Each structure stands twice: as structure tokens, then as C-alpha cells.
Amino acid sequence: DSGVTQTPKHLITATGQRVTLRCSPRSGDLSVYWYQQSLDQGLQFLIQYYNGEERAKGNILERFSAQQFPDLHSELNLSSLELGDSALYFCASSVGPSGLGYEQFFGPGTRLTVL
Amino acid sequence: AQTVTQSQPEMSVQEAETVTLSCTYDTSESDYYLFWYKQPPSRQMILVIRQEAYKQQNATENRFSVNFQKAAKSFSLKISDSQLGDAAMYFCAYRSEVGDDKIIFGKGTRLHILP
């Protein structure tokens, strides 16, 4: 158990819908990262927040957005869902910016299925 | 941009034998981290081993060791005394020490352990 929690574990929804994935980082961790794992794209970095502020952005679609709240939990919002958005979404957390050597710890993931 | 390449989509090894998974990467940076992550059927991402680029000594964690060749940009993982529990998807990954905190993953190698 990494200490990172993600809810829900599984999510099944229809095209065009909007969903919210939630992540609680390890106690004391200020950075939160979101990754998407899909069959065709593999594991891709989406976005990072550090202490409430967006720090880095990857290949995140405009239909996707995220935020980190004052209690440091983070939410990833996916809207106008398409079949291709079906994937495993990981949240990871670290004490600080990884450039200082801090490790990223991964949560168990949320499996999103878009029908 | 940095890239990570795993040229072996699948590998098999007999239980108790030794297997080596290959990984090459491309970067213009001199300071970075390299990782091997294990993803068992549970889908959890588990850090197996980590190597700092500035360290010449190869990292070792119990039955897992790496062969880090910085000039050749090669980072292979050796698993000794393979066990059934080692069956998983293995991802080679890269993270810069400066700037962006994202982890860049290879496509993965699926390792089968034959009893």
C-alpha cells in the first residue's frame, strides 16, 4: 500500500458524459501527479500540482481539467467523454518537486470505461 | 524530448533462472533518474529499482539489479532466481533532475515465469 488513495476504483459511463476522479496523496506530500494508461498510448503524464498550484502539464486534452484543493487532495475532471478516454488513470504523490529527488508513489488507479 | 524504448514486448523465463530486460533511452540532459516499475495483474505500479545518473555504481535491490551504461544510454534490469510472483509488466522510466517532474515511461515488457 503506497498510502495514495484513489476513488472510485472503477467507473463506467457513456460517451458525452462528465466524470470526476479523486486522489488523496500520502500524508505530508505536497505534489500530486496524474497519469493515463491506455492500450494505444501507454503510460502518459497528464498534469502535476504542487501545493495547490499547477506545476507541469503534459499531453492533457482540453476536455480534461484538474485541481488541487487546500487539503491537498486532487480531482481530475473528464468531460465530453469519448470511447478513447477509456483507460486506467493513476494518481501519484511526492513530498516535493521530483527534481529534488523525491520519489513519486502511485495510487491503485481508477479504471474508466466509456461505453 | 526524452524517450524511453523497450524493445522486448514479451519475455519468458524458467522459475529460478535469471532474466535480463532491456531498455534504452534518449536525452540531452546529464542529470536524471532511471527507474524500473513493476505492474502485476493488480495494476498497481510498484517501484522496483532506481538509479541516479551521477552514480557510476549500479543499483541493486535484493534479486534485482541494473546495468547502467550512461554513454550508451542503456539501462537493463536483471532479475535473479526468478519467482512466480515476478510475473508482471515491467516499465523502464526516466525522470529529469531539473525542470519537468514528469516520469516518461517505455511501452513495457511483459514477463512470464514458467514453472
Side-chain angles (χ1 to χ4, degrees), chain B:
Chain B
Q2 298 86 9
T3 58
V4 177
T5 302
Q6 294 178 251
S7 58
Q8 306 151 315
E10 282 193 71
M11 292 189 72
S12 296
V13 64
Q14 210 73 34
E15 194 176 2
E17 296 295 309
T18 296
V19 64
T20 299
L21 309 184
S22 302
C23 172
T24 58
Y25 59 95
D26 190 28
T27 184
S28 58
E29 300 175 330
S30 56
D31 298 318
Y32 50 87
Y33 302 91
L34 295 167
F35 309 89
W36 280 97
Y37 281 88
K38 171 185 178 181
Q39 188 177 41
S42 68
R43 301 290 188 177
Q44 177 76 48
M45 293 294 288
I46 302 166
L47 178 63
V48 174
I49 200 164
R50 155 185 164 153
Q51 174 81 44
E52 290 87 346
Y54 67 85
K55 289 186 178 178
Q56 291 191 342
Q57 187 171 7
N58 290 323
T60 299
E61 286 289 340
N62 301 312
R63 297 182 295 107
F64 298 87
S65 61
V66 298
N67 184 3
F68 172 47
Q69 302 288 329
K70 191 173 184 179
K73 295 180 183 173
S74 169
F75 183 61
S76 61
L77 174 70
K78 186 171 84 171
I79 306 174
S80 304
D81 185 25
S82 297
Q83 300 175 1
L84 294 177
D86 295 333
M89 196 75 160
Y90 286 82
F91 293 95
C92 179
Y94 171 103
R95 194 184 80 216
S96 174
E97 188 172 316
V98 295
D100 215 316
D101 290 348
K102 69 183 179 190
I103 295 177
I104 299 168
F105 291 90
K107 294 291 187 186
T109 295
R110 183 168 299 283
L111 179 64
H112 303 277
I113 310 296
L114 306 174

Side-chain angles (χ1 to χ4, degrees), chain A residues 16-70:
Chain A
Q17 295 298 305
R18 172 189 168 95
V19 297
T20 297
L21 313 183
R22 182 188 169 101
C23 167
S24 293
R26 295 185 321 154
S27 177
D29 284 1
L30 299 179
S31 266
V32 169
Y33 311 78
W34 287 97
Y35 292 85
Q36 179 197 57
Q37 184 177 25
S38 62
L39 282 175
D40 51 345
Q41 298 292 328
L43 263 160
Q44 285 195 109
F45 167 76
L46 294 178
I47 197 164
Q48 177 201 0
Y49 279 83
Y50 175 68
N51 205 19
E53 300 289 326
E54 183 184 303
R55 178 173 168 85
K57 220 168 187 175
N59 297 325
I60 187 166
L61 299 172
E62 283 193 14
R63 300 182 287 107
F64 296 1
S65 65
Q67 55 184 324
Q68 187 179 26
F69 294 86

